[in-house]
Amino acid sequence: MKEGTPQGGVISPLLANICLNPLDHLMSHSGYEMVRYADDMVILCHSAEAAETAMAALREWSAQAGLELHPQKTRIVDIGQPKAHFSAGVLVELDGWTRMRLRSILRTRAAKGRGLDHHRWPDSYFTSIGLFNLEEAQKLELMSLRVAANF
């Protein structure tokens, strides 16, 4: 039987921080720089060999803690390689998920029923209050990099 907290539950980030605190210390004492928010993390390494060693340590620690790494999200990426970071598709998906969560929060605060969230709070609403669109940000970054490369 698998147990856990509901996806997106208010207690989930707190429990993740409590459960993963020993991992933070392990990675730090092992000389790795790890950035983590709740149960999402990035471990920064200077070489492919260090990344492999960090991955092995993460897998071993997770198994001992009775946790499973998500097979599609757990990978080693060389950020220096083209398309090694977020693709536009991932950014669109992340933007969509973020807006869905924000609509859920707004619905709860407004005590409204489900079903019309996209009409109540369209994407233009989030743009008007200054919510950053990741896909557009990536396009601007690439344009900026191209401009800088031409000087």
Side-chain angles (χ1 to χ4, degrees), residues 47-60:
S47 69
E49 294 79 24
E52 292 291 346
T53 303
M55 179 69 84
L58 176 61
R59 289 189 191 285
E60 181 180 338

Side-chain angles (χ1 to χ4, degrees), residues 74-151:
T74 306
R75 62 188 183 279
I76 294 175
V77 175
D78 181 350
I79 203 68
Q81 297 300 313
K83 298 189 178 185
H85 52 288
F86 291 119
S87 66
V90 171
L91 295 177
V92 169
E93 185 179 326
L94 186 56
D95 267 341
W97 182 87
T98 302
R99 284 177 170 73
M100 175 201 61
R101 293 296 301 140
L102 290 171
R103 285 181 179 106
S104 176
I105 292 166
L106 289 168
R107 180 184 346 104
T108 301
R109 288 183 181 170
K112 301 277 186 178
R114 295 186 73 159
L116 299 174
D117 291 352
H118 282 80
H119 297 288
R120 288 188 193 115
W121 302 288
D123 288 346
S124 59
Y125 167 78
F126 296 112
T127 301
S128 73
I129 62 170
L131 181 67
F132 208 61
N133 178 305
L134 296 174
E135 184 180 20
E136 290 301 316
Q138 185 184 40
K139 288 177 186 175
L140 291 172
E141 177 191 21
L142 292 174
M143 286 189 333
S144 175
L145 290 172
R146 287 183 187 119
V147 168
N150 289 326
F151 283 108

Side-chain angles (χ1 to χ4, degrees), residues 22-89:
L23 177 62
D24 295 339
H25 291 284
L26 172 69
M27 289 295 150
S28 178
H29 291 293
S30 298
Y32 296 108
E33 191 71 34
M34 184 169 82
V35 180
R36 186 172 62 78
Y37 176 76
D39 64 345
D40 294 320
M41 67 191 77
V42 173
I43 302 171
L44 306 170
C45 302
H46 293 284
S47 69
E49 294 79 24
E52 292 291 346
T53 303
M55 179 69 84
L58 176 61
R59 289 189 191 285
E60 181 180 338
W61 183 90
S62 298
Q64 289 175 355
L67 301 173
E68 295 177 16
L69 298 174
H70 193 290
Q72 294 173 333
K73 294 181 179 180
T74 306
R75 62 188 183 279
I76 294 175
V77 175
D78 181 350
I79 203 68
Q81 297 300 313
K83 298 189 178 185
H85 52 288
F86 291 119
S87 66

Side-chain angles (χ1 to χ4, degrees), residues 5-14 101:
T5 60
Q7 179 71 27
V10 295
I11 194 80
S12 296
L14 174 63
R101 293 296 301 140

